[in-house]
Amino acid sequence: GENVEQHPSTLSVQEGDSAVIKCTYSDSASNYFPWYKQELGKGPQLIIDIRSNVGEKKDQRIAVTLNKTAKHFSLHITETQPEDSAVYFCAASMENQGGKLIFGQGTELSVKP
Amino acid sequence: DADVTQTPRNRITKTGKRIMLECSQTKGHDRMYWYRQDPGLGLRLIYYSFDVKDINKGEISDGYSVSRQAQAKFSLSLESAIPNQTALYFCATSDPPGGGAYTDTQYFGPGTRLTVL
């Protein structure tokens, strides 16, 4: 089955710096890659996603890139702010698996003022 | 997301006890999921249901059972709780995609923190 590896497990940056979180997946049939943000005491919330027919997607300060050949995708956060501090999860899904998501292990991002 | 509620929010129980975690949603979604979250392991799928009559095992279903009482309600039971079931449990919902899309956004509840002593 699909396996998703996420790195780093913790990341600390200064406010205003950029943060990058990387994920690799094992099954080339995966074709949907969402990113979820989990704030303390809350459930994960979708922040951005990308499908396999697209190489990059941006939404204000966040962007996701996908390299299908290498089977990896990354989350980029620019101009980080303290409210970006949270745990971030990547995930992968296949069309023939319906809505089933396989999650990475999570990255705890800390943005220091 | 207030549209997905979980009860209880915290629960402490003893080894061998049967417990039930409940999930309700007002989003009108057909699909519902149960995950557990453990430090360093991310979220792992326990069970999922695409409608009231369709229930499927996920990655880690052993020791768990579920009941889909209605479109809006999906309960997770631990028949005989053990300490390694101590974790944060999340319910999620989604709607089948339309318009040619092939997957769907999942909306998570606030979680239930379960401790088994």
Side-chain angles (χ1 to χ4, degrees):
Chain A
E2 174 65 282
N3 182 54
V4 178
E5 296 287 334
Q6 182 173 346
H7 299 279
S9 57
T10 61
L11 179 59
S12 182
V13 300
Q14 288 295 132
E15 182 177 0
D17 288 350
S18 295
V20 180
I21 302 170
K22 299 182 179 181
C23 290
T24 60
Y25 60 100
S26 60
D27 196 325
S28 57
S30 290
N31 53 15
Y32 173 64
F33 307 94
W35 286 87
Y36 283 79
K37 176 183 181 182
Q38 184 181 20
E39 297 177 341
L40 194 62
K42 298 183 178 181
Q45 183 174 13
L46 179 73
I47 55 171
I48 195 168
D49 58 13
I50 192 168
R51 290 178 167 79
S52 59
N53 59 347
V54 175
E56 182 176 3
K57 183 177 179 180
K58 290 184 179 180
D59 183 2
Q60 299 183 336
R61 295 186 298 108
I62 61 173
V64 58
T65 59
L66 171 66
N67 183 326
K68 288 191 296 181
T69 302
K71 290 189 285 187
H72 67 70
F73 56 112
S74 301
L75 178 71
H76 304 254
I77 306 174
T78 59
E79 301 173 17
T80 54
Q81 301 169 3
E83 52 265 37
D84 294 328
S85 296
V87 178
Y88 292 81
F89 292 99
C90 63
S93 178
M94 302 178 215
E95 180 175 357
N96 62 3
Q97 295 288 308
K100 287 175 57 180
L101 295 174
I102 303 300
F103 283 88
Q105 295 84 355
T107 296
E108 183 174 3
L109 173 64
S110 176
V111 180
K112 300 185 184 303
Chain B
D1 191 321
D3 297 324
V4 183
T5 58
Q6 292 184 235
T7 56
R9 294 294 312 277
N10 289 282
R11 178 75 182 269
I12 300 174
T13 191
K14 294 183 178 180
T15 297
K17 294 292 187 181
R18 182 181 189 277
I19 66 163
M20 179 182 289
L21 309 182
E22 299 186 343
C23 176
S24 294
Q25 52 113 347
T26 58
K27 300 184 79 68
H29 288 171
D30 287 327
R31 299 178 173 184
M32 299 187 74
Y33 311 80
W34 275 105
Y35 293 91
R36 68 175 278 176
Q37 182 179 1
D38 299 277
L41 295 178
L43 291 142
R44 292 180 292 167
L45 184 63
I46 306 172
Y47 270 94
Y48 62 103
S49 170
F50 282 177
D51 65 42
V52 174
K53 297 181 179 180
D54 179 18
I55 294 178
N56 305 279
K57 293 181 178 180
E59 303 170 71
I60 52 165
S61 59
D62 287 350
Y64 301 95
S65 62
V66 291
S67 174
R68 186 81 184 266
Q69 300 95 325
Q71 185 203 38
K73 296 184 182 297
F74 193 35
S75 300
L76 176 72
S77 293
L78 285 67
E79 299 301 326
S80 179
I82 56 177
N84 76 0
Q85 291 178 312
T86 293
L88 189 55
Y89 289 83
F90 286 101
C91 173
T93 75
S94 70
D95 223 8
Y102 49 74
T103 192
D104 43 358
T105 299
Q106 294 190 17
Y107 298 85
F108 285 79
T112 293
R113 185 167 296 281
L114 175 66
T115 303
V116 183
L117 301 176

